[in-house]
Amino acid sequence: MRIKPNDIPALRDKIASEQGNQCWLCEISLDSVVACLDHDHQTGLIRGVLCNNCNGIEGKIFNLARRAKR
């Protein structure tokens, strides 16, 4: 099932609340940063809510690992 763009903020807030309002990687409070809904780009499954910094780093690590397999 695809999530409509208008439903993302409510879903992100719900998952963040379930995570104790902390980034699931670095555990920083999501009150003081931009929160991002993280998902697996291959399966589309939502993994959790990350701070903007961890979300960017996770994407860079994924891309580096993918390129290294060439």
Side-chain angles (χ1 to χ4, degrees):
M1 174 175 117
R2 290 186 65 94
I3 299 169
K4 296 176 185 171
N6 291 342
D7 296 334
I8 291 173
L11 180 60
R12 183 182 56 231
D13 292 345
K14 178 181 182 288
I15 294 171
S17 178
E18 291 170 356
Q19 293 176 192
N21 211 35
Q22 294 181 327
C23 172
W24 68 270
L25 286 179
C26 71
E27 299 181 350
I28 192 171
S29 171
L30 294 172
D31 291 330
S32 60
V33 296
V34 175
C36 301
L37 191 60
D38 181 50
H39 68 285
D40 184 308
H41 285 259
Q42 293 177 339
T43 65
L45 296 175
I46 295 171
R47 296 184 284 216
V49 177
L50 300 175
C51 68
N52 191 43
N53 188 46
C54 286
N55 188 52
I57 291 169
E58 186 274 332
K60 288 177 183 169
I61 291 171
F62 176 80
N63 287 335
L64 286 171
R66 187 182 64 215
R67 280 189 228 137
K69 292 181 182 179
R70 283 197 256 172

